[in-house]
mmCIF file of all heavy atoms in Angstrom:
data_model
loop_
_atom_site.group_PDB
_atom_site.id
_atom_site.type_symbol
_atom_site.label_atom_id
_atom_site.label_comp_id
_atom_site.label_asym_id
_atom_site.label_seq_id
_atom_site.Cartn_x
_atom_site.Cartn_y
_atom_site.Cartn_z
ATOM 1 N N ALA A 1 -74.025 -2.796 -54.064
ATOM 2 C CA ALA A 1 -74.297 -4.156 -54.531
ATOM 3 C C ALA A 1 -73.221 -5.079 -53.971
ATOM 4 O O ALA A 1 -72.041 -4.734 -53.931
ATOM 5 C CB ALA A 1 -74.288 -4.217 -56.048
ATOM 6 N N ALA A 2 -73.645 -6.216 -53.498
ATOM 7 C CA ALA A 2 -72.708 -7.202 -52.960
ATOM 8 C C ALA A 2 -73.098 -8.582 -53.450
ATOM 9 O O ALA A 2 -74.274 -8.876 -53.626
ATOM 10 C CB ALA A 2 -72.726 -7.178 -51.439
ATOM 11 N N GLN A 3 -72.104 -9.393 -53.678
ATOM 12 C CA GLN A 3 -72.360 -10.778 -54.063
ATOM 13 C C GLN A 3 -72.265 -11.617 -52.799
ATOM 14 O O GLN A 3 -71.207 -11.734 -52.196
ATOM 15 C CB GLN A 3 -71.337 -11.256 -55.084
ATOM 16 C CG GLN A 3 -71.576 -12.670 -55.522
ATOM 17 C CD GLN A 3 -70.570 -13.118 -56.583
ATOM 18 O OE1 GLN A 3 -69.807 -12.334 -57.097
ATOM 19 N NE2 GLN A 3 -70.590 -14.386 -56.882
ATOM 20 N N SER A 4 -73.382 -12.179 -52.387
ATOM 21 C CA SER A 4 -73.375 -12.948 -51.150
ATOM 22 C C SER A 4 -73.306 -14.449 -51.390
ATOM 23 O O SER A 4 -73.108 -15.202 -50.455
ATOM 24 C CB SER A 4 -74.604 -12.608 -50.314
ATOM 25 O OG SER A 4 -75.784 -12.894 -51.045
ATOM 26 N N PHE A 5 -73.469 -14.889 -52.627
ATOM 27 C CA PHE A 5 -73.414 -16.304 -52.929
ATOM 28 C C PHE A 5 -72.439 -16.559 -54.067
ATOM 29 O O PHE A 5 -72.439 -15.843 -55.058
ATOM 30 C CB PHE A 5 -74.790 -16.852 -53.340
ATOM 31 C CG PHE A 5 -75.793 -16.829 -52.236
ATOM 32 C CD1 PHE A 5 -76.716 -15.814 -52.137
ATOM 33 C CD2 PHE A 5 -75.790 -17.821 -51.278
ATOM 34 C CE1 PHE A 5 -77.632 -15.785 -51.112
ATOM 35 C CE2 PHE A 5 -76.701 -17.804 -50.245
ATOM 36 C CZ PHE A 5 -77.626 -16.785 -50.159
ATOM 37 N N ALA A 6 -71.633 -17.566 -53.905
ATOM 38 C CA ALA A 6 -70.725 -17.966 -54.978
ATOM 39 C C ALA A 6 -71.494 -18.842 -55.962
ATOM 40 O O ALA A 6 -72.433 -19.539 -55.573
ATOM 41 C CB ALA A 6 -69.552 -18.754 -54.398
ATOM 42 N N PRO A 7 -71.100 -18.843 -57.220
ATOM 43 C CA PRO A 7 -71.766 -19.740 -58.167
ATOM 44 C C PRO A 7 -71.401 -21.192 -57.866
ATOM 45 O O PRO A 7 -70.280 -21.489 -57.459
ATOM 46 C CB PRO A 7 -71.209 -19.300 -59.522
ATOM 47 C CG PRO A 7 -69.903 -18.660 -59.211
ATOM 48 C CD PRO A 7 -70.049 -18.051 -57.850
ATOM 49 N N LEU A 8 -72.343 -22.073 -58.022
ATOM 50 C CA LEU A 8 -72.096 -23.496 -57.820
ATOM 51 C C LEU A 8 -71.629 -24.080 -59.143
ATOM 52 O O LEU A 8 -72.334 -23.994 -60.145
ATOM 53 C CB LEU A 8 -73.376 -24.200 -57.358
ATOM 54 C CG LEU A 8 -73.185 -25.642 -56.920
ATOM 55 C CD1 LEU A 8 -74.154 -25.990 -55.824
ATOM 56 C CD2 LEU A 8 -73.287 -26.604 -58.067
ATOM 57 N N VAL A 9 -70.421 -24.626 -59.135
ATOM 58 C CA VAL A 9 -69.853 -25.203 -60.349
ATOM 59 C C VAL A 9 -69.392 -26.619 -60.043
ATOM 60 O O VAL A 9 -68.486 -26.820 -59.226
ATOM 61 C CB VAL A 9 -68.670 -24.358 -60.878
ATOM 62 C CG1 VAL A 9 -68.096 -24.979 -62.142
ATOM 63 C CG2 VAL A 9 -69.101 -22.922 -61.122
ATOM 64 N N ASN A 10 -70.045 -27.589 -60.656
ATOM 65 C CA ASN A 10 -69.645 -28.985 -60.482
ATOM 66 C C ASN A 10 -68.335 -29.253 -61.218
ATOM 67 O O ASN A 10 -68.122 -28.743 -62.316
ATOM 68 C CB ASN A 10 -70.715 -29.933 -61.039
ATOM 69 C CG ASN A 10 -71.926 -30.035 -60.145
ATOM 70 O OD1 ASN A 10 -71.895 -29.709 -58.976
ATOM 71 N ND2 ASN A 10 -73.019 -30.494 -60.722
ATOM 72 N N ARG A 11 -67.487 -30.074 -60.631
ATOM 73 C CA ARG A 11 -66.298 -30.538 -61.336
ATOM 74 C C ARG A 11 -66.748 -31.595 -62.342
ATOM 75 O O ARG A 11 -67.498 -32.505 -61.984
ATOM 76 C CB ARG A 11 -65.300 -31.163 -60.362
ATOM 77 C CG ARG A 11 -64.702 -30.204 -59.365
ATOM 78 C CD ARG A 11 -63.540 -29.459 -60.019
ATOM 79 N NE ARG A 11 -62.947 -28.507 -59.114
ATOM 80 C CZ ARG A 11 -61.818 -28.702 -58.450
ATOM 81 N NH1 ARG A 11 -61.144 -29.816 -58.601
ATOM 82 N NH2 ARG A 11 -61.346 -27.770 -57.652
ATOM 83 N N PRO A 12 -66.323 -31.488 -63.589
ATOM 84 C CA PRO A 12 -66.794 -32.432 -64.614
ATOM 85 C C PRO A 12 -66.554 -33.891 -64.250
ATOM 86 O O PRO A 12 -67.421 -34.738 -64.475
ATOM 87 C CB PRO A 12 -66.005 -32.031 -65.857
ATOM 88 C CG PRO A 12 -65.661 -30.600 -65.641
ATOM 89 C CD PRO A 12 -65.457 -30.451 -64.155
ATOM 90 N N GLU A 13 -65.396 -34.219 -63.672
ATOM 91 C CA GLU A 13 -65.116 -35.616 -63.335
ATOM 92 C C GLU A 13 -66.026 -36.127 -62.221
ATOM 93 O O GLU A 13 -66.423 -37.289 -62.210
ATOM 94 C CB GLU A 13 -63.634 -35.803 -62.970
ATOM 95 C CG GLU A 13 -63.177 -35.063 -61.726
ATOM 96 C CD GLU A 13 -62.717 -33.621 -61.949
ATOM 97 O OE1 GLU A 13 -63.077 -33.001 -62.970
ATOM 98 O OE2 GLU A 13 -62.001 -33.107 -61.079
ATOM 99 N N HIS A 14 -66.407 -35.255 -61.303
ATOM 100 C CA HIS A 14 -67.306 -35.668 -60.231
ATOM 101 C C HIS A 14 -68.743 -35.790 -60.737
ATOM 102 O O HIS A 14 -69.473 -36.697 -60.331
ATOM 103 C CB HIS A 14 -67.211 -34.694 -59.053
ATOM 104 C CG HIS A 14 -65.877 -34.699 -58.402
ATOM 105 N ND1 HIS A 14 -65.578 -35.481 -57.314
ATOM 106 C CD2 HIS A 14 -64.736 -34.039 -58.712
ATOM 107 C CE1 HIS A 14 -64.315 -35.287 -56.969
ATOM 108 N NE2 HIS A 14 -63.788 -34.416 -57.808
ATOM 109 N N ALA A 15 -69.134 -34.879 -61.614
ATOM 110 C CA ALA A 15 -70.463 -34.980 -62.213
ATOM 111 C C ALA A 15 -70.582 -36.256 -63.036
ATOM 112 O O ALA A 15 -71.604 -36.945 -62.992
ATOM 113 C CB ALA A 15 -70.741 -33.747 -63.074
ATOM 114 N N ALA A 16 -69.518 -36.608 -63.763
ATOM 115 C CA ALA A 16 -69.526 -37.845 -64.559
ATOM 116 C C ALA A 16 -69.655 -39.060 -63.651
ATOM 117 O O ALA A 16 -70.370 -40.015 -63.984
ATOM 118 C CB ALA A 16 -68.252 -37.933 -65.398
ATOM 119 N N ARG A 17 -68.989 -39.033 -62.507
ATOM 120 C CA ARG A 17 -69.095 -40.149 -61.555
ATOM 121 C C ARG A 17 -70.524 -40.261 -61.017
ATOM 122 O O ARG A 17 -71.049 -41.364 -60.858
ATOM 123 C CB ARG A 17 -68.111 -39.950 -60.399
ATOM 124 C CG ARG A 17 -68.014 -41.185 -59.519
ATOM 125 C CD ARG A 17 -67.010 -41.009 -58.407
ATOM 126 N NE ARG A 17 -65.667 -40.840 -58.958
ATOM 127 C CZ ARG A 17 -64.630 -40.406 -58.241
ATOM 128 N NH1 ARG A 17 -64.762 -40.095 -56.990
ATOM 129 N NH2 ARG A 17 -63.449 -40.289 -58.810
ATOM 130 N N CYS A 18 -71.160 -39.124 -60.769
ATOM 131 C CA CYS A 18 -72.551 -39.138 -60.302
ATOM 132 C C CYS A 18 -73.481 -39.738 -61.349
ATOM 133 O O CYS A 18 -74.358 -40.543 -61.024
ATOM 134 C CB CYS A 18 -73.007 -37.727 -59.952
ATOM 135 S SG CYS A 18 -72.286 -37.058 -58.445
ATOM 136 N N LEU A 19 -73.279 -39.348 -62.615
ATOM 137 C CA LEU A 19 -74.112 -39.886 -63.689
ATOM 138 C C LEU A 19 -73.877 -41.377 -63.886
ATOM 139 O O LEU A 19 -74.820 -42.139 -64.118
ATOM 140 C CB LEU A 19 -73.839 -39.137 -64.993
ATOM 141 C CG LEU A 19 -74.395 -37.721 -65.062
ATOM 142 C CD1 LEU A 19 -73.880 -37.008 -66.305
ATOM 143 C CD2 LEU A 19 -75.912 -37.746 -65.045
ATOM 144 N N ALA A 20 -72.611 -41.812 -63.787
ATOM 145 C CA ALA A 20 -72.303 -43.237 -63.940
ATOM 146 C C ALA A 20 -72.939 -44.041 -62.811
ATOM 147 O O ALA A 20 -73.467 -45.132 -63.037
ATOM 148 C CB ALA A 20 -70.790 -43.448 -63.975
ATOM 149 N N ALA A 21 -72.905 -43.513 -61.593
ATOM 150 C CA ALA A 21 -73.532 -44.207 -60.465
ATOM 151 C C ALA A 21 -75.044 -44.284 -60.649
ATOM 152 O O ALA A 21 -75.667 -45.291 -60.313
ATOM 153 C CB ALA A 21 -73.194 -43.496 -59.146
ATOM 154 N N ALA A 22 -75.627 -43.245 -61.221
ATOM 155 C CA ALA A 22 -77.063 -43.273 -61.493
ATOM 156 C C ALA A 22 -77.391 -44.369 -62.498
ATOM 157 O O ALA A 22 -78.374 -45.101 -62.338
ATOM 158 C CB ALA A 22 -77.532 -41.912 -62.001
ATOM 159 N N ALA A 23 -76.546 -44.518 -63.511
ATOM 160 C CA ALA A 23 -76.748 -45.602 -64.493
ATOM 161 C C ALA A 23 -76.591 -46.956 -63.826
ATOM 162 O O ALA A 23 -77.368 -47.878 -64.079
ATOM 163 C CB ALA A 23 -75.770 -45.454 -65.651
ATOM 164 N N ASP A 24 -75.583 -47.090 -62.938
ATOM 165 C CA ASP A 24 -75.397 -48.342 -62.195
ATOM 166 C C ASP A 24 -76.637 -48.692 -61.376
ATOM 167 O O ASP A 24 -76.969 -49.858 -61.206
ATOM 168 C CB ASP A 24 -74.206 -48.231 -61.216
ATOM 169 C CG ASP A 24 -72.865 -48.121 -61.909
ATOM 170 O OD1 ASP A 24 -72.784 -48.353 -63.133
ATOM 171 O OD2 ASP A 24 -71.890 -47.791 -61.199
ATOM 172 N N ALA A 25 -77.292 -47.660 -60.851
ATOM 173 C CA ALA A 25 -78.463 -47.861 -59.996
ATOM 174 C C ALA A 25 -79.740 -48.063 -60.801
ATOM 175 O O ALA A 25 -80.814 -48.244 -60.232
ATOM 176 C CB ALA A 25 -78.625 -46.669 -59.055
ATOM 177 N N GLY A 26 -79.629 -48.029 -62.127
ATOM 178 C CA GLY A 26 -80.794 -48.274 -62.972
ATOM 179 C C GLY A 26 -81.627 -47.042 -63.265
ATOM 180 O O GLY A 26 -82.764 -47.159 -63.708
ATOM 181 N N ALA A 27 -81.066 -45.857 -63.036
ATOM 182 C CA ALA A 27 -81.810 -44.636 -63.325
ATOM 183 C C ALA A 27 -81.949 -44.459 -64.828
ATOM 184 O O ALA A 27 -81.037 -44.792 -65.577
ATOM 185 C CB ALA A 27 -81.100 -43.431 -62.722
ATOM 186 N N PRO A 28 -83.060 -43.922 -65.273
ATOM 187 C CA PRO A 28 -83.208 -43.666 -66.711
ATOM 188 C C PRO A 28 -82.251 -42.553 -67.141
ATOM 189 O O PRO A 28 -81.872 -41.702 -66.338
ATOM 190 C CB PRO A 28 -84.668 -43.214 -66.841
ATOM 191 C CG PRO A 28 -85.044 -42.723 -65.486
ATOM 192 C CD PRO A 28 -84.227 -43.515 -64.507
ATOM 193 N N ALA A 29 -81.875 -42.570 -68.393
ATOM 194 C CA ALA A 29 -80.994 -41.520 -68.926
ATOM 195 C C ALA A 29 -81.748 -40.199 -68.932
ATOM 196 O O ALA A 29 -82.934 -40.146 -69.262
ATOM 197 C CB ALA A 29 -80.552 -41.885 -70.336
ATOM 198 N N HIS A 30 -81.070 -39.165 -68.535
ATOM 199 C CA HIS A 30 -81.677 -37.834 -68.515
ATOM 200 C C HIS A 30 -80.935 -36.928 -69.485
ATOM 201 O O HIS A 30 -79.721 -37.038 -69.627
ATOM 202 C CB HIS A 30 -81.620 -37.228 -67.099
ATOM 203 C CG HIS A 30 -82.533 -37.910 -66.148
ATOM 204 N ND1 HIS A 30 -83.874 -37.643 -66.094
ATOM 205 C CD2 HIS A 30 -82.306 -38.858 -65.227
ATOM 206 C CE1 HIS A 30 -84.435 -38.407 -65.165
ATOM 207 N NE2 HIS A 30 -83.500 -39.153 -64.635
#
């Protein structure tokens, strides 16, 4: 058995920036 893919883990501060930009752009809350 081998692990060929690392888990994708968002940095909380970067994810928060993405969500804030979505709000700035008028995206509905998800």
Side-chain angles (χ1 to χ4, degrees):
Q3 181 178 351
S4 59
F5 294 98
L8 189 148
V9 180
N10 285 341
R11 294 278 179 102
E13 64 273 21
H14 295 266
R17 190 178 296 166
C18 288
L19 287 171
D24 292 348
H30 290 280

